[in-house]
Amino acid sequence: SGSEDLGGGMKASFQLVQDIATPTGGSSGDFEVTTVSLSGGFGEIRLGRNHPSLRDAGGAYRFFGDIGRLPGNMNSSAYTPHGIQYTTPTVGGVKGVIFSADPDDGGDERTAFGLMGSIAGAKFSVSQETQETAAGVETNLTTVAGSMDLGMAKVGLIYANSDPDGGVETEGTGIHVAVPVGKGVTVGGSYSMYEQGTGETDILA
């Protein structure tokens, strides 16, 4: 990644990201993220292959990497080419995000919008995303998440809903807790529940 100060509060940036599987040294062969962006007092415009920043509720609700993370079908797991994302300036700790992608390679069309930020020390994210496959199957994804540092512990909450046309709706809820127990030591826990049709999955970490 890199950036250049253009003066007058403007900055140009680029980013190339490649995931590597450490056990094997393998990779997908393509860069997962390839973006260029322009930012300033107007906010930021970002172009290229990317996730919207609202993916996975912006990480507002969890504290231990992928532990307790939403599953792929509920957090837009695919990197999307030809993406255009606009992020507003942050006002009062809150910013808005609008994302759109219309690939010409048969990939999913995606639009997403939402709000994220921090108010009175509490992080939050509210988002709505629509995905449409090349076959015309549309899925709506909704997430509401937040977290608060209470001093003695951090607590995060998440609600997510995935509703595909002609498919089975999935709802997920989760709670995450991180408790400092000594210098440099934190103990964390996560409980999530997913309901799909008549089935239910409970995940405890």
Side-chain angles (χ1 to χ4, degrees):
S1 64
S3 64
E4 178 73 17
D5 188 345
L6 303 178
M10 300 274 284
K11 183 172 71 172
S13 306
F14 76 93
Q15 187 178 30
L16 300 172
V17 177
Q18 173 63 282
D19 291 343
I20 298 174
T22 52
T24 64
S27 71
S28 66
D30 297 320
F31 284 109
E32 272 75 17
V33 173
T34 58
T35 63
V36 293
S37 60
L38 182 68
S39 59
F42 60 87
E44 182 193 57
I45 297 174
R46 180 169 296 191
L47 310 175
R49 175 179 167 90
N50 200 18
H51 287 297
S53 64
L54 288 163
R55 174 180 180 249
D56 200 29
Y61 63 97
R62 55 188 169 83
F63 319 110
F64 293 94
D66 281 349
I67 292 177
R69 186 176 193 165
L70 290 170
N73 67 322
M74 301 187 78
N75 72 359
S76 315
S77 58
Y79 295 92
T80 303
H82 302 181
I84 302 174
Q85 177 170 286
Y86 170 64
T87 304
T88 70
T90 300
V91 178
V94 179
K95 61 183 177 181
V97 179
I98 302 172
F99 177 86
S100 177
D102 187 6
D104 60 4
D105 60 358
D108 293 353
E109 295 181 17
R110 294 168 62 185
T111 57
F113 60 90
L115 297 173
M116 58 195 304
S118 176
I119 297 178
K123 292 183 178 180
F124 77 94
S125 175
V126 179
S127 64
Q128 172 69 42
E129 180 170 339
T130 301
Q131 300 179 15
E132 184 173 345
T133 67
V137 178
E138 186 175 285
T139 299
N140 290 301
L141 303 172
T142 304
T143 56
V144 180
S147 61
M148 173 70 81
D149 188 344
L150 304 175
M152 59 184 294
K154 290 182 180 178
V155 179
L157 299 170
I158 175 74
Y159 168 79
N161 178 284
S162 175
D163 189 8
D165 281 349
V168 180
E169 182 179 7
T170 303
E171 287 189 309
T173 55
I175 182 169
H176 306 259
V177 180
V179 181
V181 295
K183 187 175 182 180
V185 179
T186 301
V187 175
S190 168
Y191 171 74
S192 302
M193 179 180 69
Y194 299 95
E195 294 181 290
Q196 186 176 47
T198 59
E200 179 178 305
T201 300
D202 297 281
I203 302 173
L204 181 65

